[in-house]
Amino acid sequence: MTTLLEAHDVSRSFGGLQALAGCSLLVERGSITGLIGPNGSGKTTLFNVITGYIKADTGRVSFEGKDITNARPNAVFALGIGRTFQMTRIFARISVVENMLVATQREESWLRGLTRSKSSKSELDNAMEWLDFVGLARLAHLPAGALSYGQRKLLELAYVLVADPDVILLDEPAGGVNLTLINEIGEKIRSLNAAGKTFLIVEHNMEFVMNLCDTVTVMHQGCNLVTGRPDEVRSNPLVLDAYLGGGDDEDVAEEMSNG
Ligand SMILES: Nc1ncnc2c1ncn2[C@@H]1O[C@H](COP(=O)(O)OP(=O)(O)O)[C@@H](O)[C@H]1O
Ligand SMILES: [Mg+2]
């Protein structure tokens, strides 16, 4: 295995609040890596630093061995790092397929298309193909606002896939999604991973993380606390302590300890 994406000793504070305090993370090429931790432990902030939405105060981010620390979001995206957001960012009033065409036309997608010298398939065909992949093709002409929350998450996934990223960062893909769609999202991730895509996934649903990921890093108070296989992480007392000490994550701690 080789390292595809690395955050090394990253710190970032907001005013007096230290959101990241020397956090390090390795993502191996071809892996499905999980990133978990109590609410407020810095997971989304780390995603934001990696993808250029927030600058690190100190520390380094590298991708394929190249330093990309504090690169702009469109530059990071053009290099092959795609992401979804904890709160979906789709346009509710235009149709599902129009949302996909917006994705295709984003400047950074276009740039990325150039570097990848994509086939001459029309943008519409390409958009429809990815909608079909996530099971939304039959809803292509509905306003995106008519989709359920889970379906919006699938649309976001399709939206990111248009640009053919090497690594995909998902922020809570299963959050607020019904069980059938959670399983569907899990299957899509597996099949994309089998086709060579690397994933870094933040998710509170422990069953989802433990079934899907080959490596899990647990964050606590802005630092990486433990990294290991799901079963190692699940039985690590430090991890249970982190969740129990976290205040509002007792359900998760209970779920983890019950295994
Ligand atoms: N843009 C911001 N401005 C101020 N504080 C922030 C900002 N983003 C995150 N934080 C704070 O940083 C901490 C870590 O947040 P976050 O990375 O969202 O945690 P997680 O995703 O693990 O729940 C929290 O205390 C949060 O309130
Ligand atoms: Mg978050």
Side-chain angles (χ1 to χ4, degrees), residues 66-216:
K66 284 188 295 269
D67 189 343
I68 60 160
T69 316
N70 298 335
R72 289 154 45 118
N74 57 359
V76 173
F77 190 86
L79 282 170
I81 303 176
R83 76 171 289 185
T84 65
F85 291 85
Q86 192 168 345
M87 301 297 173
T88 64
R89 292 191 172 185
I90 60 169
F91 301 104
R93 292 191 188 182
I94 62 174
S95 73
V96 168
V97 68
E98 282 164 343
N99 267 276
M100 292 293 289
L101 294 174
V102 170
T104 316
Q105 283 154 15
R106 279 154 78 203
E107 181 195 353
E108 58 268 39
S109 289
W110 178 79
L111 266 174
R112 178 133 180 88
L114 275 186
T115 60
R116 283 282 150 133
S117 62
K118 263 200 132 62
S119 67
S120 57
K121 212 187 304 163
S122 84
E123 286 175 3
L124 182 62
D125 288 349
N126 194 31
M128 284 307 296
E129 218 164 85
W130 283 117
L131 284 179
D132 191 42
F133 174 77
V134 300
L136 294 178
R138 76 201 149 81
L139 307 175
H141 299 290
L142 288 183
L147 298 181
S148 73
Y149 189 70
Q151 289 169 334
R152 287 184 205 203
K153 296 242 166 186
L154 283 166
L155 176 56
E156 268 229 337
L157 181 59
Y159 193 106
V160 170
L161 291 170
V162 157
D164 194 23
D166 298 305
V167 55
I168 300 161
L169 280 57
L170 302 175
D171 201 349
E172 303 202 15
V177 178
N178 74 49
L179 192 62
T180 310
L181 275 186
I182 288 179
N183 290 333
E184 217 160 281
I185 290 170
E187 272 170 35
K188 298 308 170 199
I189 293 171
R190 266 206 196 91
S191 81
L192 288 163
N193 179 247
K197 301 283 183 206
T198 302
F199 283 88
L200 175 62
I201 304 178
V202 165
E203 182 48 57
H204 278 294
N205 182 323
M206 282 304 139
E207 203 187 321
F208 185 86
V209 170
M210 297 296 170
N211 285 333
L212 203 57
C213 298
D214 23 56
T215 305
V216 176

Side-chain angles (χ1 to χ4, degrees), residues 32-55:
I32 305 180
T33 299
L35 183 64
I36 66 173
N39 282 330
S41 56
K43 305 176 298 293
T44 296
T45 304
L46 184 61
F47 267 26
N48 286 336
V49 167
I50 290 172
T51 52
Y53 286 84
I54 284 179
K55 287 199 187 325

